[in-house]
Amino acid sequence: MTPRRGARSLQRRAPRGPLGVLLATVILAAGAALSGCAASSGTVPGCGDPLRLAIIAQSVSSASYVPCISGLAPGWNTSGFDPTQDGTSFLLNSDRSPGQPVTVRLTATCNVSGASPSPSRAPGVLTYTRLDSISPRFVGALYDVFPGGCISYGFDFALGSQIALVEQFEDAIGLYPRQQLRLILKQKLGIELSP
Amino acid sequence: MTTLPTPRPGHEGPEVPPLITASPGGRRRRPSGEPPPLPRHIDHSIRWYLALAGIAGALWAAMSVPAVLGLITRADLAVLHVVAAVRTAWLTRLMLDVNALASPWTVRLLAFGTIAVLVAYRRFQHLAAYLVIFLAAVLLLSAMRLEIGRMRPTGIEILGPWQGYAQPSQPVATLTLALVGVLYTLMPAGRWRNRGKWAAGIILAAVCAARLYLAVEHPTDQLTALIVGWPLAVVAFWLAVPNDVFPVSYRGGRKAHLDIGGRRGSAIVTALDHQLGLAVTGVEPFGLEGSAGSTPLRIQVRGPASDKTVLFGKLYTLSHLWSDRWYKLARTVIYGRLEDEKPFSTVRRLAEYEDHLLRLMRDAGLPTPRPYGFAEITPEREYLIVMEFFEGGREIRGAQVDDRVIDDALRVVRRLWDAGVAHRDIKPSNILVRDGSVLLIDVAFATVRPTPWRQAVDLANMMLTLALASTPEHVYERALSLFAADDVAEAFAACRSITIPSQLRSLIRADGRDLTGRFGQLAPPRRPIPIQLWDIKRVAITAGLFAALAAAVALFGIYLSVAGLL
């Protein structure tokens, strides 16, 4: 009896149009933020992720090794990853040493005066240890010195747990050879790591 | 309290009859599916910006595949090598100087400057949008940098300082965000914003060129940074604070009135035609300086006999709803919960309430504008309430105030009392005089069944208004013919500086006479009525507000750190 007309939907998609875009943007941003926050606990590239290690190599172009995370013991995480044209630094945090992270720095040179040689951690690497204090806190630094660069690890632990903590952070940091990184970049991206 | 004579008839102007027949189409119900008079509109530029955002997303997705990343990187490096071919010592020095424009200090200066101006002009919607968009963009950029983990250009000497992963470029993105923030929250749309866009474009072009010359990042690192910082941010501003609802304007201080030309002007004409049956021949802003709560309009209408009549309109939008909310929150905290200060939940409710009060006051025989209903311009976003325009009415400040006017004005208050209504905003700009009769306008703040205190304040404010053009003694004497002396005593016992509308307060200050004090002396003595009512709700709201402020300060510190502004 009435003219024909298409049925109209009552169940409106909400939100529609621009509102949907806003919502999507917010969700994306929130997701990105959350993933960023989540990633912030593991911002330092792992030794199995050479493409991300390239920027560390670029921060000290002469360094024959670059630090990477080979594996974190339970209770450890990383933060403050900061590669710049002058070197790279980051923090290793342990829940057994709250507020006193291990500060890791890759630089072109190190001053190892006052430090004692320790067992080497990789071929061509000289390792040194310097203890500034044993009591009331275990304070000092570890150095990995290699051609064209040096990695320092500053620590400040409470007595009692220091031996385990030192072992754990030493195990956490791996040394990735620049030569190997250069090869992988050439293979995967077809680019040369300079120099 | 006795009921005294009602207002004399004759305050009403010539009636504008329903104009259904004058409209070509007459009133018309909008069928389902037909767009409203002013549908939400997406500019072409917004569509382009969204397309660009898609390109950034596609680039990021492509970069997660090493083979494609290698291809893009090689292309980027080819461009950088071409640029590097023109390197010279003096050009390098110049480019390093230009690159300094992208330093964190420039971004901080722009960001803090923007925040300061927005706070100074109380543009809190813009401020909230700015902070959220800036933070969201910075978090997005940060997350993408970590996700992609792209190295800096290789095989070419990097001449400038750098920090962190290359993709997307943080300095370019944050500088772009800061500039877009200035453009879309501080600069009025139109000529100034367009000029600003050119200036921002030139700055960004120079910075990008310098950074490419210095080889601190790849061209695609800049491309995605520019897309996040400009198109994506513009879309977000467009959604959060659309210019046609939250216009940036410096005319009349913080009062941002809407542009009623263009699409909105046409929509108003269509809406009034279809919904109220009014044949509109012209719409123009009217009395903008006296209104912060709406955009007041003078509407010319063609009558049935092709005669022209003028109506008054008030355009309400989301921005006015927010103004109302802030105003009521401030009143609750500063003055106590004196009246019903519950904010309106929607713009529609705001218009409905004023329309209802206009009808109620007309039924009560008050000399208020005849209501013509309200029209929906954009559903849940813009409504236009239409009422009689008091042609020939003059604000009481500029009118001859004789005994007849004084009696008529006092009779209006008497009538308000009898009708159980309080106007709540009695001040000279809301009292007009035409042919010796007093007319009352702007009933948006009125309330039904008010407290006795509020009714007393209406009387005090009316007497103060009249005394400005006369003497307290004379007004008091005339008032006694309509009110008991105790009523007047109660009015001035309730009167405080904060109960007097700001316009009236400033006029009293300029007048120099202690009008309130003199009325207090003339009326029988009465103890002041306390107005700072501290109930549990007010305590909770005040405490909550202070807690929110403290949290906001703390969060702002965290915000600045996360957003990279510290």
Side-chain angles (χ1 to χ4, degrees):
Chain A
M1 299 293 281
T2 56
R4 295 183 69 180
R5 182 171 171 175
R8 291 205 64 77
S9 170
L10 292 175
Q11 297 287 344
R12 295 179 63 179
R13 282 171 296 130
R16 300 167 65 177
L19 204 59
V21 177
L22 175 64
L23 192 65
T25 309
V26 169
I27 290 170
L28 276 176
L34 287 174
S35 65
C37 290
S40 69
S41 62
T43 53
V44 183
C47 299
D49 193 359
L51 297 187
R52 287 173 201 273
L53 286 175
I55 197 153
I56 305 178
Q58 286 183 300
S59 72
V60 180
S61 56
S62 57
S64 51
Y65 284 97
V66 294
C68 57
I69 301 296
S70 60
L72 290 170
W76 285 84
N77 65 45
T78 62
S79 63
F81 179 55
D82 186 24
T84 72
Q85 73 279 2
D86 298 322
T88 295
S89 63
F90 59 89
L91 302 175
L92 276 170
N93 313 285
S94 168
D95 57 5
R96 292 168 69 191
S97 179
Q100 295 292 346
V102 177
T103 307
V104 182
R105 284 198 180 88
L106 168 69
T107 48
T109 57
C110 287
N111 178 9
V112 293
S113 59
S116 310
S118 299
S120 173
R121 296 191 345 110
V125 176
L126 298 173
T127 303
Y128 299 86
T129 306
R130 192 189 70 230
L131 289 178
D132 299 326
S133 157
I134 296 173
S135 180
R137 293 184 66 81
F138 192 73
V139 183
L142 201 73
Y143 300 93
D144 283 328
V145 183
F146 40 79
C150 166
I151 303 170
S152 66
Y153 313 81
F155 54 83
D156 182 348
F157 297 135
L159 283 181
S161 57
Q162 81 277 11
I163 295 172
L165 289 171
V166 169
E167 281 180 1
Q168 285 173 355
F169 86 69
E170 280 191 83
D171 291 344
I173 303 294
L175 299 177
Y176 201 96
R178 185 181 198 89
Q179 193 58 36
Q180 191 178 340
L181 184 59
R182 184 178 284 127
L183 282 173
I184 287 178
L185 288 175
K186 183 70 182 168
Q187 282 172 2
K188 289 197 168 182
L189 302 183
I191 58 172
E192 295 282 349
L193 177 64
S194 55
Chain B
M1 200 159 67
T2 55
T3 301
L4 292 165
T6 57
R8 287 175 291 109
H11 69 264
E12 294 175 352
E15 184 175 352
V16 180
L19 300 173
I20 299 170
T21 52
S23 171
R27 289 188 205 228
R28 173 179 172 273
R29 177 185 165 275
R30 177 162 61 94
S32 297
E34 183 178 298
L38 185 62
R40 288 159 199 255
H41 175 69
I42 302 179
D43 288 336
H44 283 298
S45 58
I46 296 292
R47 294 175 203 271
W48 277 108
Y49 286 166
L50 286 170
L52 282 171
I55 290 174
L59 258 178
W60 284 334
M63 284 181 181
S64 64
V65 181
V68 183
L69 176 62
L71 199 67
I72 295 171
T73 303
R74 289 197 297 275
D76 277 339
L77 292 175
V79 174
L80 289 178
H81 279 290
V82 170
V83 176
V86 300
R87 282 178 175 178
T88 58
W90 69 268
L91 197 53
T92 301
R93 281 195 300 276
L94 175 68
M95 291 301 175
L96 283 168
D97 289 341
V98 173
N99 185 41
L101 279 174
S103 81
W105 285 107
T106 312
V107 175
R108 281 177 202 137
L109 191 70
L110 286 168
F112 283 116
T114 305
I115 291 168
V117 173
L118 291 175
V119 170
Y121 280 90
R122 299 189 208 173
R123 294 215 187 100
F124 295 115
Q125 285 85 14
H126 282 99
L127 178 63
Y130 180 79
L131 294 176
V132 170
I133 291 167
F134 203 103
L135 180 64
V138 166
L139 288 174
L140 175 68
L141 291 163
S142 176
M144 292 317 299
R145 265 200 311 280
L146 286 174
E147 187 60 35
I148 296 167
R150 193 181 195 190
M151 62 190 292
R152 297 280 161 176
T154 184
I156 187 167
E157 189 185 0
I158 299 175
L159 300 179
W162 56 267
Q163 185 175 26
Y165 291 120
Q167 168 65 249
S169 166
Q170 186 183 21
V172 171
T174 50
L175 178 64
T176 311
L177 272 172
L179 289 169
V180 165
V182 170
L183 288 173
Y184 285 85
T185 62
L186 301 186
M187 293 209 162
R191 191 176 48 162
W192 281 104
R193 188 175 291 171
N194 290 336
R195 285 178 181 175
K197 284 177 188 172
W198 278 105
I202 290 167
I203 292 169
L204 289 172
V207 166
C208 287
R211 292 179 71 79
L212 288 181
Y213 176 92
L214 299 171
V216 290
E217 61 212 8
H218 307 92
T220 46
D221 301 336
Q222 295 185 346
L223 177 67
T224 50
L226 287 169
I227 289 173
V228 172
W230 196 301
L232 208 57
V234 170
V235 171
F237 277 117
W238 172 75
L239 289 168
V241 279
N243 191 66
D244 48 357
V245 179
F246 299 97
V248 178
S249 170
Y250 294 91
R251 286 170 301 169
R254 66 192 174 90
K255 296 163 194 159
H257 294 111
L258 302 174
D259 175 17
I260 55 155
R263 291 175 59 244
R264 181 178 280 111
S266 306
I268 287 172
V269 172
T270 306
L272 293 180
D273 177 13
H274 290 176
Q275 297 171 39
L276 300 183
L278 299 174
V280 177
T281 57
V283 180
E284 59 186 2
F286 175 80
L288 293 179
E289 67 286 344
S291 170
S294 66
T295 300
L297 305 173
R298 193 171 184 271
I299 304 167
Q300 291 178 347
V301 177
R302 193 175 65 242
S306 293
D307 51 324
K308 286 196 175 174
T309 309
V310 176
L311 297 177
F312 182 69
K314 288 166 85 173
L315 188 59
Y316 284 118
T317 68
L318 278 176
S319 62
H320 303 123
L321 184 72
W322 277 102
S323 298
D324 180 72
R325 285 176 180 171
W326 284 112
Y327 174 76
K328 285 178 170 168
L329 179 67
R331 279 179 60 95
T332 304
V333 172
I334 297 168
Y335 305 152
R337 187 166 279 266
L338 303 175
E339 298 288 348
D340 175 18
E341 300 293 1
K342 195 158 181 62
F344 294 104
S345 56
T346 61
V347 189
R348 179 199 295 271
R349 295 274 159 85
L350 195 63
E352 276 177 353
Y353 184 72
E354 185 164 354
D355 186 57
H356 162 71
L357 278 162
L358 282 169
R359 292 169 194 279
L360 186 143
M361 291 205 177
R362 181 196 56 181
D363 291 349
L366 283 155
T368 50
R370 183 193 314 279
Y372 281 83
F374 64 92
E376 184 180 71
I377 309 297
T378 305
E380 305 307 330
R381 204 162 90 166
E382 285 188 35
Y383 290 86
L384 174 61
I385 184 166
V386 184
M387 63 196 83
E388 178 185 4
F389 182 85
F390 285 137
E391 195 85 67
R394 295 182 67 188
E395 193 180 307
I396 194 165
R397 273 193 301 169
Q400 176 81 26
V401 179
D402 53 18
D403 284 357
R404 185 182 163 201
V405 170
I406 293 173
D407 289 349
D408 207 30
L410 293 167
R411 205 176 286 117
V412 167
V413 177
R414 175 85 259 172
R415 192 68 189 164
L416 284 167
W417 284 22
D418 291 346
V421 182
H423 185 274
R424 300 208 300 171
D425 198 21
I426 288 184
K427 58 185 180 183
S429 62
N430 286 342
I431 302 166
L432 308 184
V433 177
R434 184 174 66 189
D435 302 330
S437 294
V438 168
L439 306 165
L440 194 58
I441 61 170
D442 202 356
V443 302
F445 292 119
T447 188
V448 187
R449 296 287 153 231
T451 59
W453 171 88
R454 173 45 81 181
Q455 289 180 307
V457 168
D458 267 2
L459 175 60
N461 287 337
M462 182 62 88
M463 291 180 71
L464 289 167
T465 301
L466 295 170
L468 282 170
S470 175
T471 65
E473 292 78 8
H474 189 61
V475 173
Y476 180 74
E477 183 195 327
R478 303 304 303 180
L480 290 183
S481 64
L482 286 164
F483 296 91
D486 283 345
D487 291 337
V488 180
E490 183 191 347
F492 285 94
C495 184
R496 298 279 191 291
S497 174
I498 60 168
T499 65
I500 303 172
S502 52
Q503 186 214 17
L504 180 55
R505 201 162 55 227
S506 60
L507 288 172
I508 291 171
R509 201 177 301 124
D511 182 85
R513 292 176 290 168
D514 180 13
L515 299 178
T516 313
R518 184 62 188 137
F519 276 122
Q521 290 168 356
L522 292 167
R526 174 159 182 170
R527 291 179 63 184
I529 299 170
I531 61 166
Q532 290 287 347
L533 305 176
W534 283 96
D535 58 7
I536 292 174
K537 202 165 185 178
R538 182 186 177 195
V539 171
I541 289 175
T542 308
L545 197 67
F546 276 109
L549 279 174
V553 170
L555 282 174
F556 190 61
I558 297 169
Y559 170 87
L560 294 176
S561 173
V562 173
L565 295 174
L566 278 183

